[in-house]
């Protein structure tokens, strides 16, 4: 009931009852309240999705890196990087041969609701305060140029069941090469 290596991220559900951790190739769901029987284990379930090879820190593909819990506490959206040799289409313009699998889990059951591959590396994500949108930031590579890009997806689009191609972003924000974001006073 423990991670065997480093933990990449921790987050508490909005109701304060559940803790989710990311490490190795798993996302683990823990009960925050002490067990009634006095045992040490508070692990409720694993959110595994697809795994290729070992589930330790040495895993190259499918590492559990980042996730976000929806504002209503129903969903966990998780990011797992892969090489296109394991999955994806190498002609889509991947960032250094990488794709990111976006996995949507139901937090209460651990069931995988949906999944898709984004061509490139997604580095972080979060839900909007009202829960209607999910923003993700990643690297976009065009030729030898690499830029940060923020993708904005409608949450309802991500919750459609099944595996499918990456949904079209509702909005994108890219900074041209060499341009800095304006500072806010």
């Amino acid at each position: 009931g423990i991670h065997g290596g480093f933990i990449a991220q921790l987050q508490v559900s909005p109701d304060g009852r559940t803790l989710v951790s990311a490490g190795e190739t798993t996302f683990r769901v823990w009960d925050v309240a002490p067990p009634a029987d006095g045992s040490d284990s508070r692990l409720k379930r694993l959110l595994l999705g697809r795994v290729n090879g070992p589930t330790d820190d040495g895993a190259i593909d499918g590492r559990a890196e980042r996730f976000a819990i929806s504002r209503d506490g129903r969903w966990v959206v998780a990011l797992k990087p892969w090489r296109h040799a394991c999955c994806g289409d190498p002609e889509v313009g991947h960032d250094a041969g990488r794709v990111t699998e976006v996995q949507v889990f139901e937090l209460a059951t651990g069931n995988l609701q949906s999944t898709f591959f984004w061509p490139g590396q997604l580095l972080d994500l979060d839900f909007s305060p009202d829960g209607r949108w999910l923003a993700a930031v990643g690297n976009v590579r065009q030729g030898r140029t690499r830029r940060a890009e923020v993708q904005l997806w409608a949450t309802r689009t991500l919750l459609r069941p099944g595996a499918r191609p990456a949904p079209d972003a509702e909005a994108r924000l890219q900074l041209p090469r060499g341009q800095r974001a304006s500072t806010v006073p």
Side-chain angles (χ1 to χ4, degrees):
I2 63 171
H3 286 283
F6 76 93
I7 295 174
Q9 182 183 0
L10 292 171
Q11 190 173 358
V12 176
S13 64
D15 65 7
R17 296 182 186 165
T18 304
L19 174 74
V20 179
S21 59
E24 303 93 29
T25 59
T26 63
F27 300 91
R28 296 175 189 241
V29 180
W30 307 86
D31 191 355
V32 174
D37 65 2
S39 66
D40 290 336
S41 178
R42 297 180 185 168
L43 181 66
K44 292 165 79 170
R45 70 188 53 84
L46 294 176
L47 307 178
L48 196 56
R50 178 179 29 183
V51 178
N52 183 28
T55 59
D56 61 16
D57 285 338
I60 296 171
D61 290 307
R63 286 186 320 269
E65 293 198 342
R66 302 298 295 170
F67 66 89
I69 300 173
S70 65
R71 300 297 186 229
D72 62 7
R74 283 193 66 196
W75 308 103
V76 173
V77 179
L79 303 179
K80 284 188 171 183
W82 296 86
R83 292 172 298 188
H84 69 73
C86 294
C87 47
D89 178 0
E91 301 301 318
V92 182
H94 300 6
D95 184 15
R98 306 296 286 176
V99 296
T100 303
E101 186 173 13
V102 178
Q103 300 173 336
V104 181
F105 294 94
E106 187 176 25
L107 186 57
T109 64
N111 291 335
L112 183 61
Q113 171 75 11
S114 66
T115 185
F116 65 87
F117 287 97
W118 190 81
Q121 293 179 305
L122 289 177
L123 305 170
D124 204 0
L125 70 167
D126 201 4
F127 284 92
S128 64
D130 63 7
R132 293 179 49 214
W133 306 99
L134 181 75
V137 64
N139 287 328
V140 174
R141 184 175 175 177
Q142 295 170 331
R144 295 180 59 152
T145 304
R146 187 182 304 217
R147 293 192 302 260
E149 178 175 283
V150 176
Q151 302 264 329
L152 187 66
W153 292 304
T155 302
R156 70 181 182 285
T157 303
L158 300 177
L159 297 179
R160 287 193 317 244
R164 63 181 176 283
D168 290 331
E170 300 289 330
R172 294 173 188 246
L173 171 64
Q174 284 186 355
L175 290 176
R177 185 174 178 204
Q179 181 178 342
R180 294 177 183 245
S182 59
T183 57
V184 178

